Amino acid sequence: MNETLIPGQDEPANTAVLDITGEKCPMTFVRTRLALDVLPPGGLLAVRLMGEEPHRNVSRSARALGHVVLADAPQPDGSVVLTIRKKEAASASV
């Protein structure tokens, strides 16, 4: 399994990086969701993945949970890097 959750060298310092190129669906989004869960609201996660199905499913699932896909960048090796901004915390009603 090829998984990292570290500040990226090519990403802003406040961006976590998750490499799930070796994962298959549905684990691609499970790993992505776990990484998003530990980020603060508004935090950035760069997810490197491989294949059309993981690309489609991770993008769709992240949006369905209220996160924003800021970038969708194809890489020379055939992978794709999705940059996801974690949704802001819901404000408490008074």
PDB file of all heavy atoms in Angstrom, residues 1 18 31 43 47 50 52 55 66 68 72-73 76-78 80 82 84-85 92:
ATOM      1  N   MET A   1       0.850  -1.169   0.000  1.00  0.00           N
ATOM      2  CA  MET A   1       0.000   0.000   0.000  1.00  0.00           C
ATOM      3  C   MET A   1       0.892   1.228   0.000  1.00  0.00           C
ATOM      4  O   MET A   1       1.816   1.338   0.778  1.00  0.00           O
ATOM      5  CB  MET A   1      -0.885  -0.041   1.251  1.00  0.00           C
ATOM      6  CG  MET A   1      -1.732   1.174   1.404  1.00  0.00           C
ATOM      7  SD  MET A   1      -2.983   1.038   2.692  1.00  0.00           S
ATOM      8  CE  MET A   1      -2.114   0.311   4.048  1.00  0.00           C
ATOM      9  N   LEU A  18      -1.987  12.923   0.211  1.00  0.00           N
ATOM     10  CA  LEU A  18      -2.362  11.523   0.347  1.00  0.00           C
ATOM     11  C   LEU A  18      -2.148  10.838  -0.999  1.00  0.00           C
ATOM     12  O   LEU A  18      -2.746  11.224  -2.000  1.00  0.00           O
ATOM     13  CB  LEU A  18      -3.833  11.417   0.766  1.00  0.00           C
ATOM     14  CG  LEU A  18      -4.403  10.009   0.914  1.00  0.00           C
ATOM     15  CD1 LEU A  18      -3.732   9.290   2.079  1.00  0.00           C
ATOM     16  CD2 LEU A  18      -5.905  10.070   1.125  1.00  0.00           C
ATOM     17  N   ARG A  31      -9.838   6.017   2.436  1.00  0.00           N
ATOM     18  CA  ARG A  31      -8.570   6.644   2.816  1.00  0.00           C
ATOM     19  C   ARG A  31      -8.667   8.171   2.727  1.00  0.00           C
ATOM     20  O   ARG A  31      -8.150   8.891   3.577  1.00  0.00           O
ATOM     21  CB  ARG A  31      -7.439   6.152   1.924  1.00  0.00           C
ATOM     22  CG  ARG A  31      -7.248   4.675   1.998  1.00  0.00           C
ATOM     23  CD  ARG A  31      -6.082   4.309   2.872  1.00  0.00           C
ATOM     24  NE  ARG A  31      -5.825   2.895   2.771  1.00  0.00           N
ATOM     25  CZ  ARG A  31      -6.007   2.053   3.772  1.00  0.00           C
ATOM     26  NH1 ARG A  31      -6.421   2.473   4.934  1.00  0.00           N
ATOM     27  NH2 ARG A  31      -5.766   0.780   3.614  1.00  0.00           N
ATOM     28  N   GLY A  43      -9.107  23.135   5.679  1.00  0.00           N
ATOM     29  CA  GLY A  43      -7.794  22.573   5.366  1.00  0.00           C
ATOM     30  C   GLY A  43      -7.760  22.012   3.956  1.00  0.00           C
ATOM     31  O   GLY A  43      -8.789  21.681   3.369  1.00  0.00           O
ATOM     32  N   VAL A  47      -4.804  14.802  -3.114  1.00  0.00           N
ATOM     33  CA  VAL A  47      -4.954  13.354  -3.225  1.00  0.00           C
ATOM     34  C   VAL A  47      -4.441  12.913  -4.591  1.00  0.00           C
ATOM     35  O   VAL A  47      -4.975  13.322  -5.615  1.00  0.00           O
ATOM     36  CB  VAL A  47      -6.434  12.931  -3.068  1.00  0.00           C
ATOM     37  CG1 VAL A  47      -6.567  11.419  -3.170  1.00  0.00           C
ATOM     38  CG2 VAL A  47      -7.020  13.447  -1.773  1.00  0.00           C
ATOM     39  N   MET A  50      -4.968   6.999  -9.132  1.00  0.00           N
ATOM     40  CA  MET A  50      -4.720   6.430 -10.457  1.00  0.00           C
ATOM     41  C   MET A  50      -5.991   5.744 -10.941  1.00  0.00           C
ATOM     42  O   MET A  50      -6.592   4.967 -10.201  1.00  0.00           O
ATOM     43  CB  MET A  50      -3.587   5.407 -10.370  1.00  0.00           C
ATOM     44  CG  MET A  50      -3.148   4.834 -11.692  1.00  0.00           C
ATOM     45  SD  MET A  50      -2.270   6.002 -12.739  1.00  0.00           S
ATOM     46  CE  MET A  50      -0.663   6.003 -11.983  1.00  0.00           C
ATOM     47  N   GLU A  52      -9.617   5.969 -13.796  1.00  0.00           N
ATOM     48  CA  GLU A  52     -10.845   6.734 -14.008  1.00  0.00           C
ATOM     49  C   GLU A  52     -11.865   6.522 -12.887  1.00  0.00           C
ATOM     50  O   GLU A  52     -12.488   7.475 -12.419  1.00  0.00           O
ATOM     51  CB  GLU A  52     -11.466   6.355 -15.358  1.00  0.00           C
ATOM     52  CG  GLU A  52     -12.729   7.120 -15.685  1.00  0.00           C
ATOM     53  CD  GLU A  52     -12.530   8.636 -15.734  1.00  0.00           C
ATOM     54  OE1 GLU A  52     -11.456   9.087 -16.162  1.00  0.00           O
ATOM     55  OE2 GLU A  52     -13.460   9.354 -15.341  1.00  0.00           O
ATOM     56  N   HIS A  55     -10.875   8.304  -9.647  1.00  0.00           N
ATOM     57  CA  HIS A  55     -10.972   9.739  -9.929  1.00  0.00           C
ATOM     58  C   HIS A  55     -12.418  10.205  -9.844  1.00  0.00           C
ATOM     59  O   HIS A  55     -12.741  11.175  -9.155  1.00  0.00           O
ATOM     60  CB  HIS A  55     -10.391  10.006 -11.319  1.00  0.00           C
ATOM     61  CG  HIS A  55     -10.413  11.427 -11.727  1.00  0.00           C
ATOM     62  ND1 HIS A  55     -10.550  11.812 -13.032  1.00  0.00           N
ATOM     63  CD2 HIS A  55     -10.317  12.575 -11.020  1.00  0.00           C
ATOM     64  CE1 HIS A  55     -10.541  13.125 -13.116  1.00  0.00           C
ATOM     65  NE2 HIS A  55     -10.393  13.612 -11.900  1.00  0.00           N
ATOM     66  N   GLY A  66     -19.855  17.811   0.981  1.00  0.00           N
ATOM     67  CA  GLY A  66     -19.774  19.257   1.196  1.00  0.00           C
ATOM     68  C   GLY A  66     -18.390  19.849   1.048  1.00  0.00           C
ATOM     69  O   GLY A  66     -18.203  21.046   1.263  1.00  0.00           O
ATOM     70  N   VAL A  68     -14.949  20.934  -1.213  1.00  0.00           N
ATOM     71  CA  VAL A  68     -14.798  21.575  -2.515  1.00  0.00           C
ATOM     72  C   VAL A  68     -13.553  21.025  -3.205  1.00  0.00           C
ATOM     73  O   VAL A  68     -12.467  21.024  -2.618  1.00  0.00           O
ATOM     74  CB  VAL A  68     -14.661  23.107  -2.351  1.00  0.00           C
ATOM     75  CG1 VAL A  68     -14.452  23.779  -3.701  1.00  0.00           C
ATOM     76  CG2 VAL A  68     -15.880  23.676  -1.648  1.00  0.00           C
ATOM     77  N   ASP A  72      -8.022  19.723 -10.257  1.00  0.00           N
ATOM     78  CA  ASP A  72      -8.055  18.369 -10.795  1.00  0.00           C
ATOM     79  C   ASP A  72      -6.937  18.325 -11.839  1.00  0.00           C
ATOM     80  O   ASP A  72      -7.148  18.697 -12.981  1.00  0.00           O
ATOM     81  CB  ASP A  72      -9.429  18.149 -11.423  1.00  0.00           C
ATOM     82  CG  ASP A  72      -9.667  16.750 -11.890  1.00  0.00           C
ATOM     83  OD1 ASP A  72      -8.702  16.060 -12.263  1.00  0.00           O
ATOM     84  OD2 ASP A  72     -10.840  16.343 -11.903  1.00  0.00           O
ATOM     85  N   ALA A  73      -5.725  17.932 -11.401  1.00  0.00           N
ATOM     86  CA  ALA A  73      -4.550  18.072 -12.248  1.00  0.00           C
ATOM     87  C   ALA A  73      -3.989  16.736 -12.709  1.00  0.00           C
ATOM     88  O   ALA A  73      -3.419  15.994 -11.912  1.00  0.00           O
ATOM     89  CB  ALA A  73      -3.467  18.840 -11.483  1.00  0.00           C
ATOM     90  N   PRO A  76       2.031  13.607 -15.454  1.00  0.00           N
ATOM     91  CA  PRO A  76       2.698  12.923 -16.574  1.00  0.00           C
ATOM     92  C   PRO A  76       2.697  11.394 -16.455  1.00  0.00           C
ATOM     93  O   PRO A  76       2.713  10.693 -17.465  1.00  0.00           O
ATOM     94  CB  PRO A  76       4.140  13.453 -16.522  1.00  0.00           C
ATOM     95  CG  PRO A  76       4.052  14.744 -15.782  1.00  0.00           C
ATOM     96  CD  PRO A  76       2.910  14.599 -14.823  1.00  0.00           C
ATOM     97  N   ASP A  77       2.632  10.866 -15.213  1.00  0.00           N
ATOM     98  CA  ASP A  77       2.658   9.409 -15.034  1.00  0.00           C
ATOM     99  C   ASP A  77       1.285   8.761 -15.182  1.00  0.00           C
ATOM    100  O   ASP A  77       1.128   7.566 -14.972  1.00  0.00           O
ATOM    101  CB  ASP A  77       3.270   9.052 -13.677  1.00  0.00           C
ATOM    102  CG  ASP A  77       2.421   9.513 -12.502  1.00  0.00           C
ATOM    103  OD1 ASP A  77       1.386  10.192 -12.705  1.00  0.00           O
ATOM    104  OD2 ASP A  77       2.788   9.192 -11.352  1.00  0.00           O
ATOM    105  N   GLY A  78       0.262   9.556 -15.537  1.00  0.00           N
ATOM    106  CA  GLY A  78      -1.087   9.022 -15.707  1.00  0.00           C
ATOM    107  C   GLY A  78      -1.947   9.155 -14.468  1.00  0.00           C
ATOM    108  O   GLY A  78      -3.145   8.892 -14.518  1.00  0.00           O
ATOM    109  N   VAL A  80      -3.677  11.400 -11.252  1.00  0.00           N
ATOM    110  CA  VAL A  80      -4.369  12.683 -11.141  1.00  0.00           C
ATOM    111  C   VAL A  80      -4.204  13.148  -9.702  1.00  0.00           C
ATOM    112  O   VAL A  80      -4.261  12.343  -8.779  1.00  0.00           O
ATOM    113  CB  VAL A  80      -5.875  12.532 -11.478  1.00  0.00           C
ATOM    114  CG1 VAL A  80      -6.624  13.825 -11.220  1.00  0.00           C
ATOM    115  CG2 VAL A  80      -6.061  12.092 -12.918  1.00  0.00           C
ATOM    116  N   LEU A  82      -6.035  15.525  -7.058  1.00  0.00           N
ATOM    117  CA  LEU A  82      -7.191  16.337  -6.696  1.00  0.00           C
ATOM    118  C   LEU A  82      -6.819  17.158  -5.473  1.00  0.00           C
ATOM    119  O   LEU A  82      -6.301  16.612  -4.500  1.00  0.00           O
ATOM    120  CB  LEU A  82      -8.385  15.453  -6.327  1.00  0.00           C
ATOM    121  CG  LEU A  82      -8.958  14.544  -7.394  1.00  0.00           C
ATOM    122  CD1 LEU A  82     -10.087  13.704  -6.795  1.00  0.00           C
ATOM    123  CD2 LEU A  82      -9.474  15.357  -8.555  1.00  0.00           C
ATOM    124  N   ILE A  84      -8.471  19.120  -2.537  1.00  0.00           N
ATOM    125  CA  ILE A  84      -9.779  19.218  -1.895  1.00  0.00           C
ATOM    126  C   ILE A  84      -9.677  20.139  -0.689  1.00  0.00           C
ATOM    127  O   ILE A  84      -8.771  20.004   0.123  1.00  0.00           O
ATOM    128  CB  ILE A  84     -10.264  17.830  -1.438  1.00  0.00           C
ATOM    129  CG1 ILE A  84     -10.322  16.864  -2.629  1.00  0.00           C
ATOM    130  CG2 ILE A  84     -11.610  17.923  -0.729  1.00  0.00           C
ATOM    131  CD1 ILE A  84     -10.549  15.407  -2.236  1.00  0.00           C
ATOM    132  N   ARG A  85     -10.613  21.091  -0.589  1.00  0.00           N
ATOM    133  CA  ARG A  85     -10.711  21.939   0.601  1.00  0.00           C
ATOM    134  C   ARG A  85     -11.801  21.368   1.490  1.00  0.00           C
ATOM    135  O   ARG A  85     -12.945  21.199   1.052  1.00  0.00           O
ATOM    136  CB  ARG A  85     -11.043  23.380   0.252  1.00  0.00           C
ATOM    137  CG  ARG A  85     -11.148  24.267   1.515  1.00  0.00           C
ATOM    138  CD  ARG A  85     -11.449  25.710   1.205  1.00  0.00           C
ATOM    139  NE  ARG A  85     -10.512  26.336   0.309  1.00  0.00           N
ATOM    140  CZ  ARG A  85      -9.312  26.821   0.643  1.00  0.00           C
ATOM    141  NH1 ARG A  85      -8.893  26.713   1.879  1.00  0.00           N
ATOM    142  NH2 ARG A  85      -8.544  27.376  -0.269  1.00  0.00           N
ATOM    143  N   ALA A  92     -23.010  26.841  14.981  1.00  0.00           N
ATOM    144  CA  ALA A  92     -24.072  26.400  15.909  1.00  0.00           C
ATOM    145  C   ALA A  92     -25.177  27.433  15.920  1.00  0.00           C
ATOM    146  O   ALA A  92     -24.933  28.636  15.944  1.00  0.00           O
ATOM    147  CB  ALA A  92     -23.491  26.223  17.300  1.00  0.00           C
TER     148      ALA A  92
END
